[in-house]
Amino acid sequence: MKSLYGVYGASGCGRGVMPLLRAERGKGESRLVFIDDAPQADAANGHAIWTFARFMDEPAATRAVVLAIANPRVRETLDQRCAEAEVALIGTTAANVVMMDDVEVGPGAVLSPFVTLTSNIRIGRCFHANLYSYVEHDCLIGDYVTFAPGVRCNGNVTIGDHAYVGSGAIIRQGVSVGVGATIGMGAVVTKDVPAGATVIGNPARIMEKK
Ligand code: UDP
């Protein structure tokens, strides 16, 4: 019987993750499908799109899921769904990712092409580092954190759970980013970001709610 792998999320993120998973797990008897709660089609890029129930019903020798949705809160909810269903959570790492010394990354991480994690770094569950992002030395990153493409996270930065860092943002050495914070695209973060805040611009400032 085959091994069954699901990429949860059949939209933009998922279609970027599927080729990474296929390179790692697509050989032999394995079958790779998308899982989506609101499927817009039967298949994408040659892979079927199933509901989670369909994925769980399919006979398989082993079954595992990669969460491929950029929204940190959605990833947490789906991580819990997978745990309740007792289906394994796995990550996927592009072949050209660079990881240096003493890097610990929690389960479920998606590390896209050209990502670099340098040395002495701790990262929690279900981290997403999209294309060309880097994490420099001694960073501490929580659970369900998302880096959009091209994030430059310099040394000794601390990032709380559920933070979302927009494309091309630069985080200065030593800064702390609070739980659930959002950093806008291209922001230059020179000082600490409070929990739940959204910051934008250069230098990044808190975006007040109107
Ligand atoms: N989705 C899902 N379950 C959820 C939330 C989202 O299956 O609880 C799916 C949703 O139907 C969509 C995808 O995840 O197909 C998210 O796509 P979106 O374009 O919003 O984000 P991205 O692909 O950039 O993460």
Side-chain angles (χ1 to χ4, degrees), residues 8-15 35-40 68-71 74 77-78 81 128:
Y8 212 136
S11 190
C13 181
R15 282 179 286 120
I35 304 168
D36 204 286
D37 296 322
Q40 304 289 310
I69 294 175
N71 183 306
V74 172
T77 301
L78 298 180
R81 183 176 299 168
H128 270 203

Side-chain angles (χ1 to χ4, degrees), residues 113-189:
F114 303 99
V115 163
T116 299
L117 311 177
T118 70
S119 296
N120 308 100
I121 291 165
R122 299 287 176 271
I123 299 174
R125 281 183 86 78
C126 296
F127 180 53
H128 270 203
N130 217 316
L131 306 170
Y132 291 99
S133 290
Y134 72 71
V135 179
E136 255 282 20
H137 64 89
D138 300 298
C139 285
L140 195 58
I141 296 179
D143 296 328
Y144 311 106
V145 170
T146 300
F147 282 8
V151 169
R152 289 176 267 178
C153 179
N154 291 300
N156 292 297
V157 163
T158 301
I159 301 186
D161 299 344
H162 303 112
Y164 181 95
V165 186
S167 184
I170 304 174
I171 308 175
R172 182 184 186 166
Q173 156 119 348
V175 158
S176 287
V177 175
V179 169
T182 301
I183 296 174
M185 186 187 292
V188 178
V189 182

Side-chain angles (χ1 to χ4, degrees), residues 70-84:
N71 183 306
R73 296 275 172 197
V74 172
R75 283 209 301 288
E76 181 170 38
T77 301
L78 298 180
D79 185 20
Q80 285 162 1
R81 183 176 299 168
C82 289
E84 280 159 22

